[in-house]
Amino acid sequence: MAANTTNLSEKAKSGVLCIGNAIVDIIARVDDAFLAKHDRIKGSMMLVDADTSASIYADMPPAVEHSGGSAGNTAAGIASFGGDVAYIGKVHDDQLGAVFTHDIRAIGVSFDTKPLTEGLPTATSMILVTPDAERTMSTFLGACGQLTVDDIDEATVAGAEVTYFEGYMWDTDNQKAAILKAMDYAHASGGLVSISLSDSFCVDRFRAEFLELIRDRVDILFANEDEIKSLYEVDSFDEALELLRPHVKVGALTRSAKGSVVVAGNETIVVEAEAADVFDTTGAGDMYAAGFLYGYTNGRSLENCGKLGSLAAAEVISHLGARPEVSLHSLAIEKSL
């Protein structure tokens, strides 16, 4: 997406750079008893060690394997819209790492992060989908947790209009350092920084740090209703929205069936949810961010960005798996978006 240049701040920018945990998702439908048996908290993302991951996997019913990870899904969604997108994430030079690399490149995402050649294997996430379509994740970070500042290429960051990362990256110090470096590169070159809060459990772990980031370093924030209320420790969505408003350039807040609300300065835009039969909510927030960022980096209005986000989210919740099964570009044309 970007070429080396002697003056990175003057280079023409385009598209989105997504930075995240490069994970292979293993998705299966289970009942609530399965969650209780394995001490899982419904709707959460819990980090697990290799033994716990293996134990859950051995007990799972037949599953579907997909390349995933929150920011990786967002990159896939942007590519499905036909957008310019690159990805930074760490895999191992093993079988699952090869699968992840092939998958993300095959859909049109630029991915050049050097893999690990020793040590931890490629990350996996056991995604358990209950009958209410809620997803519960048990993630073994493996190789993806080994991302460091050395993996952040200044020219790639400088070439992106928006550098986007997932809140889950805050779980390891070396990843945190890598993200902070990417933020510095982005702002030094005139780009924007965007974050997804990932989930309310993630917010609970890092509330103080996230608040500092949002006040001082984040331009575009993505969060759902529970996450933004948790961030500001309030019970009212409207109160959380008003607390966020002065902190970011744009806030895009999703509310499930209630749609989404976009705030920018004094402007407030309410976007209706796109109708869909809910089969699996995995990836809904990732796809909303994909549609929104695709629209934003292609000069669309904030209302249109929100509608594109809703369109992408509706597509992904209609089937098992966190990435689109049909062309989002074609769907947008059908909807005149």
Side-chain angles (χ1 to χ4, degrees):
M1 183 163 64
N4 289 328
T5 175
T6 55
N7 192 338
L8 296 173
S9 64
E10 294 181 359
K11 186 187 182 301
K13 295 179 176 295
S14 66
V16 183
L17 168 63
C18 297
I19 307 177
N21 288 324
I23 297 172
V24 175
D25 292 335
I26 301 171
I27 310 170
R29 300 189 71 82
V30 302
D31 56 22
D32 287 347
F34 187 96
L35 300 185
K37 177 181 179 181
H38 291 278
D39 296 321
R40 301 297 93 191
I41 300 172
K42 182 183 282 193
S44 71
M45 191 289 286
M46 301 173 69
L47 296 179
V48 298
D49 58 24
D51 290 341
T52 302
S53 179
S55 175
I56 295 172
Y57 181 68
D59 200 28
M60 285 171 70
V64 177
E65 296 184 0
H66 291 289
S67 296
S70 178
N73 294 335
T74 296
I78 294 170
S80 186
F81 275 110
D84 182 12
V85 58
Y87 179 75
I88 292 176
K90 203 75 167 178
V91 297
H92 192 282
D93 185 18
D94 55 17
Q95 183 176 354
L96 288 179
V99 168
F100 184 95
T101 300
H102 172 269
D103 285 353
I104 201 163
R105 288 176 177 170
I107 58 177
V109 178
S110 175
F111 175 52
D112 297 313
T113 311
K114 292 181 179 179
L116 290 178
T117 56
E118 57 184 22
L120 294 169
T122 296
T124 55
S125 183
M126 309 300 160
I127 301 179
L128 309 173
V129 183
T130 40
D132 56 3
E134 186 63 85
R135 84 283 187 272
T136 301
M137 298 180 287
S138 297
T139 302
F140 170 55
L141 288 178
C144 76
Q146 304 303 302
L147 188 82
T148 71
V149 293
D150 293 336
D151 295 304
I152 305 301
D153 178 67
E154 183 176 5
T156 301
V157 179
E161 186 175 344
V162 177
T163 295
Y164 168 87
F165 70 96
E166 59 190 78
Y168 291 133
M169 299 290 286
W170 231 246
D171 276 307
T172 64
D173 289 340
N174 50 286
Q175 288 180 301
K176 189 183 303 185
I179 291 299
L180 292 172
K181 177 61 71 175
M183 287 178 166
D184 290 342
Y185 285 155
H187 283 148
S189 63
L192 300 178
V193 167
S194 179
I195 179 178
S196 165
L197 292 185
S198 294
D199 73 27
S200 56
F201 298 93
C202 188
V203 175
D204 288 341
R205 291 197 297 275
F206 305 113
R207 180 177 294 106
E209 292 174 84
F210 281 178
L211 282 169
E212 183 178 359
L213 285 178
I214 291 163
R215 283 194 297 260
D216 300 335
R217 307 184 67 146
V218 169
D219 302 294
I220 303 172
L221 175 76
F222 293 95
N224 66 27
E225 184 168 359
D226 288 339
E227 292 158 4
I228 199 65
K229 289 192 297 185
S230 175
L231 180 71
Y232 289 106
E233 298 183 279
V234 296
D235 295 326
S236 163
F237 173 78
D238 291 336
E239 185 178 357
L241 182 150
E242 292 305 322
L243 289 168
L244 171 68
R245 192 186 296 274
H247 291 162
V248 293
K249 181 181 178 71
V250 178
L253 309 177
T254 57
R255 309 187 73 189
S256 300
K258 295 179 183 179
S260 61
V261 179
V262 181
V263 295
N266 293 324
E267 189 175 10
T268 303
I269 301 163
V270 178
V271 180
E272 292 185 1
E274 186 79 15
D277 293 326
V278 182
F279 189 77
D280 170 18
T281 59
T282 307
D286 303 335
M287 284 304 109
Y288 183 90
F292 194 98
L293 290 172
Y294 167 76
Y296 193 88
T297 54
N298 282 275
R300 306 292 186 88
S301 69
L302 292 178
E303 181 179 14
N304 187 260
C305 291
K307 288 180 177 180
L308 289 168
S310 294
L311 178 75
E315 191 285 331
V316 83
I317 65 175
S318 68
H319 57 78
L320 193 66
R323 294 188 176 180
E325 290 187 343
V326 300
S327 165
L328 296 178
H329 176 72
S330 297
L331 283 182
I333 291 175
E334 289 178 16
K335 297 287 185 176
S336 300
L337 293 177

